[in-house]
Amino acid sequence: MNSETRANLIKQGAIWAFIVVELIFFSVAGEFLSLSEKAFMDFDNMLLLLKQSAPIGIIALGMTIIMVNGNIDLSVGATFALSAIVLLDSMTWPIFAGLGDGVIFVGWALALMTGVILGAVNGFIVWKTGVDAFIVTLGSMLGFRGLVFMYNGEQPTSHLNWTLVDFAEAQFLGLHTATWFLAAVVVVLWFVMNKTVHGRNAYAIGNNREAAVNAGIRVGPHFLINFMLIGFLAALSAVVFYSESGSVNPNDGMLYELWAITAVVLGGTKLTGGYGSIISTLGGVIAIQLLRKGLGHIGADTETVNLVIGLILIAVLFLDRQLNAKGKEELKT
Amino acid sequence: MSDTKPALRLENIVKAFPGVRALDGVSFEVIPGEVHALMGENGAGKSTLMKVLGGIYQPNEGTIYIEEQETVMHSPLQAKGKGVVFIHQELSLADELSVAENIFLGELPRKSFGRVDWDALYKETDAILGKLNVGFNAKTRVGDLSIANQQMVEIARALTVDAKAVIFDEPTASLTDAEKVVLFDVIEDLQKQGVGIIYISHRMEEIFKISDRISVLRDGQYRGTLLTKDTNEDEVTKLMIGRSLDLTRNVEAPELGEVALEVRGLTCGNLYKDVSFKVHRGEVVGFYGLVGAGRTEIAETIFGLRDADAGSIFLEGQEVKINSPVEAIRHGISLVPEDRKGQGLVLGMNCRDNMTLLQVDDLTAGPFVSDGAEIAIYDQYRDRLDIRSPSWRQTVGNLSGGNQQKIVIGKWLSMKPNVLIVDEPTRGIDVGSKSEIHNLIRELAKQGYAVIVISSEMPEVLHVSDRIVAMYHGQVMREFTAEEVTEDSLVQAISGIVSDKVA
């Protein structure tokens, strides 16, 4: 193994090492501070953690492709909310009344389609106008959220379909439905990023856009596909979550984009694009969920949790920078 | 040669932009198996011509022929498809991807479901790399390669198609001498395979070494084609600028003042070791060596950009510790950096604001920046350095290289430095402006500045320096005075052959 492969392994292993540290810390600290009798590393607790990682996780995995591409999508939270409304509301529409439980598939299809269409809107604008994705999706974040409020005002949209709830709460081979979805997305996206021409081109575009254009890669359509993909995943995340909860508030999904980006960045993906990995993003997602759960376990309140996560994010990226710096041979800034 | 069909021929190409005729009826051809050099000052129309060839610009008039077939090209990819391949000056590679992926960028072989056919990719890449005889393989990450090897990757790209003409745009700009030899071998191989080579460079010696013919552009017009074996540098220069360039050896005896800067035993990791030298007021000390010999790094240390492990720096006999550029400026040290556009200028700002960038804090009237004071400084240095710009409002990015360099020098002179360090003062600057910059450096020394010039061009070092410090692998090999130096001894010193080190 040459030193480069080793350095790469260390880089990609770092987030998993961090997870191990978290597990040890919370297990030990839990012994002294926790009010609950249960150990932190209780098996059921860990299964639950994976399930709870799913909604943000599915979005963060999609965000990885977008960020490897050198873009960003701030509208995923709003897309998530709007897809959720479409999911729950469409199941109550009179035209589908005769379908029985078949309405579930209609609801899912419509919700996923909503996500794809919203993603396509973003992608199309980025492609055709050349405006930076940050600006475009900042705009669509506000716009899509506006649509959410237009739908039902400040009222929550609710519908419970018990067949659906049973499916969503089921456990197969010990893992919850949501966890299976998360796992499936990891596998599919890993394949896309590492094995397909589309995925390799995403790295090329993010790394050196000019070179990609010169090599005849059609950057615009490529962006469009990836924005449709993340729209689909935001909707999928909503489908997974609201199949179980059955009620969506117009403010749901707010800040999801930032949590997703946090997880991606923790996983080592470069903000400038061209470098990143699906597996490391999964690590980032789990690390954040562990922090939340662990801090809750030792009795911290939500405000403290956010403060700590924020500090850790900065500390981790600082550490990453220090480790990658070349010491004295590097110029001072 | 004339009975061979040209691989590529341009006829009466005209390309006009609002207000400028960038190309005015240029004709040019390259025959299979020849190296045809294209020369001209910056702004002479070389890059416009190449963009027309590459399908980035469409000519207003004129025709392109590939193997005597009339052709229209709309994109770089289309040009490549037709066998016209570019090796760009600024490498366009994706660092994080493998060599193979870069070579087949945009054309990765596919299997079903859009999967990459890695086996085919690596096999084809290895076949191409085999032809080039390089020391890396298809799976190496491009970011881990040296600049020279990255260039080989670019060249390998050219070999994925049946190339008829390959265009090299300043390919040696960042190569060491050893790497150049490898590049020239590859060019010779391509030549033997019957590929026509168009070679663009400012470097006369290279052109005379490898080209068969030289064509010259000036002000967008075709000025003529010379057979390399029948011409000389002077003739080409005259064709390029309308007069010849003075690069005679410096023979003036400097009027030495006291020692302005002294460095003793300066060491920084593997970059440079035990470096000592003195610079007097009123003299120009040239630092000559290969790329990577540690010259720039020493300048960066003196300027507070880089920490040294050991050694000391004395200004006017006083030992000083310089931890940041701010402190360096306070001590009267100025550094005109190597990379003018990246490190020296804010390209989007106007001339005046660039000039006063360092002292804008002091040019205030109440809480606001004083326009008048800024313009006064700009006017002063514009006249003193003969900066040619329509007005101080001109965006610096739109000036010629020579005028940009003068702005940078003016910016540092306006800080009234004691020691002026100029790193590669004429890199990427056309021949005409070169001699102006050279004269300026001589003039500054006469006015009593202590000047250090770092340069990789021997004629330049010999032309401007009173003393020359030759460096090799981070060490000072020898110091020469202008009288004693010879080209041979200098070349030997920077190649590490002589070791009678003068401390």
Side-chain angles (χ1 to χ4, degrees), chain B residues 77-93:
Chain B
L77 193 68
Q78 217 176 12
K80 188 177 172 189
K82 291 180 176 169
V84 180
V85 190
F86 280 83
I87 312 295
H88 291 279
Q89 179 180 10
E90 271 129 32
L91 299 168
S92 59
L93 299 168

Side-chain angles (χ1 to χ4, degrees), chain A residues 96-113:
Chain A
F96 302 136
L99 292 175
D101 277 344
V103 79
I104 293 173
F105 296 105
V106 176
W108 279 31
L110 287 174
L112 294 174
M113 231 163 66

Side-chain angles (χ1 to χ4, degrees), chain B residues 22-23 39-46 217-221:
Chain B
L23 292 175
M39 296 197 76
E41 293 190 89
N42 288 346
K46 287 176 311 212
L217 294 182
R218 186 163 95 216
D219 300 328
Q221 286 171 337

